[in-house]
Amino acid sequence: SQQGEEDPQALSIQEGENATMNCSYKTSINNLQWYRQNSGRGLVHLILIRSNEREKHSGRLRVTLDTSKKSSSLLITASRAADTASYFCATDGRGNYQLIWGAGTKLIIKP
Amino acid sequence: DAGITQSPRHKVTETGTPVTLRCHQTENHRYMYWYRQDPGHGLRLIHYSYGVKDTDKGEVSDGYSVSRSKTEDFLLTLESATSSQTSVYFCAISELSADTQYFGPGTRLTVL
């Protein structure tokens, strides 16, 4: 079963708007990661946030982590058509070598 | 981009035939993973490796086997392909356990 649950499953916004997607998880973690997948391509790592961090930025991306609520959010500011993709969160909550993946949020940026 | 290649990139085969997918890395990363991705299921781990000749099962390992005889290569074998194994298969590598993963371009497998 998937630990990470992204919300919403799909999101459609206008170019230039901000996009926010959320991830919830069930067990304690050491880190949480966000990945992007363009249609027909492999996943690309976006950002990793550790359990002792609350917020992290990378370019137009902002990730927050609330370990008390077992949730994370990914904010993409000033969205562009090229941001159209599926976004996945992954956690290390199994305590072994594996990541636990959510089912993803499909983001569509309308021109 | 991390140096990961997968071969073949596309394959069509018939039920009951053996199939081997290859993942090759040039990064010397210790950890390697095989996932399948199907609509509505996200990524599901098939098998993973934590070193040469060290492998373990993931959540959907039935019908699959793997081998890793050297650091750079991780092979996924479907001993007798079934239509339920029609999927897109991704290989990933990681330098550290349960840390950032780098993905290959994927192999689209169709079993008729």
Side-chain angles (χ1 to χ4, degrees):
Chain A
S1 63
Q2 300 280 357
Q3 164 161 265
E5 295 287 341
E6 288 94 341
D7 169 55
Q9 291 186 333
L11 179 62
S12 181
I13 61 173
Q14 293 292 138
E15 192 168 18
E17 293 180 340
N18 295 342
T20 300
M21 52 205 89
N22 304 295
C23 171
S24 60
Y25 58 92
K26 297 175 183 174
T27 64
S28 61
I29 63 172
N30 294 309
N31 67 65
L32 183 145
Q33 304 177 50
W34 286 92
Y35 289 78
R36 182 188 74 233
Q37 184 180 33
N38 293 93
S39 181
R41 309 287 293 271
L43 280 74
V44 173
H45 180 258
L46 295 176
I47 200 163
L48 181 151
I49 186 165
R50 303 209 180 272
S51 60
N52 61 352
E53 298 175 305
R54 291 296 168 260
E55 187 171 312
K56 205 162 183 179
H57 296 254
S58 177
R60 293 183 296 112
L61 307 180
R62 172 178 166 248
V63 168
T64 61
L65 178 64
D66 187 336
T67 53
S68 66
K69 295 182 179 178
K70 292 187 169 56
S71 68
S72 173
S73 67
L74 170 66
L75 168 68
I76 304 174
T77 60
S79 63
R80 306 167 181 170
D83 295 327
T84 293
S86 291
Y87 292 81
F88 296 87
C89 70
T91 62
D92 69 336
R94 276 215 177 97
N96 54 20
Y97 310 117
Q98 304 177 42
L99 295 180
I100 307 170
W101 296 85
T105 292
K106 187 169 185 177
L107 175 65
I108 296 173
I109 308 299
K110 297 180 287 186
Chain B
D1 287 346
I4 312 169
T5 56
Q6 292 184 231
S7 59
R9 293 292 314 281
H10 301 270
K11 186 170 182 69
V12 179
T13 191
E14 294 190 349
T15 297
T17 60
V19 176
T20 295
L21 308 183
R22 180 184 184 231
C23 177
H24 178 79
Q25 61 149 325
T26 58
E27 305 297 321
N28 202 36
H29 284 355
R30 177 181 175 187
Y31 301 93
M32 298 186 76
Y33 306 82
W34 276 109
Y35 293 96
R36 60 178 290 174
Q37 186 177 37
D38 305 285
H41 287 278
L43 278 177
R44 291 185 291 176
L45 182 65
I46 305 171
H47 281 280
Y48 63 97
S49 170
Y50 46 97
V52 174
K53 297 187 178 173
D54 291 323
T55 64
D56 206 349
K57 297 178 180 180
E59 61 179 305
V60 290
S61 59
D62 287 349
Y64 302 94
S65 62
V66 290
S67 66
R68 191 170 178 198
S69 59
K70 44 187 178 177
T71 300
E72 56 266 36
D73 289 326
F74 193 31
L75 303 181
L76 177 70
T77 297
L78 291 66
E79 300 291 346
S80 177
T82 67
S83 59
S84 65
Q85 293 175 313
T86 292
S87 187
V88 180
Y89 291 85
F90 288 102
C91 174
I93 64 173
S94 178
E95 190 171 12
L96 301 174
S97 172
D99 208 274
T100 302
Q101 293 187 5
Y102 302 94
F103 283 76
T107 294
R108 185 172 295 276
L109 176 67
T110 302
V111 183
L112 302 176

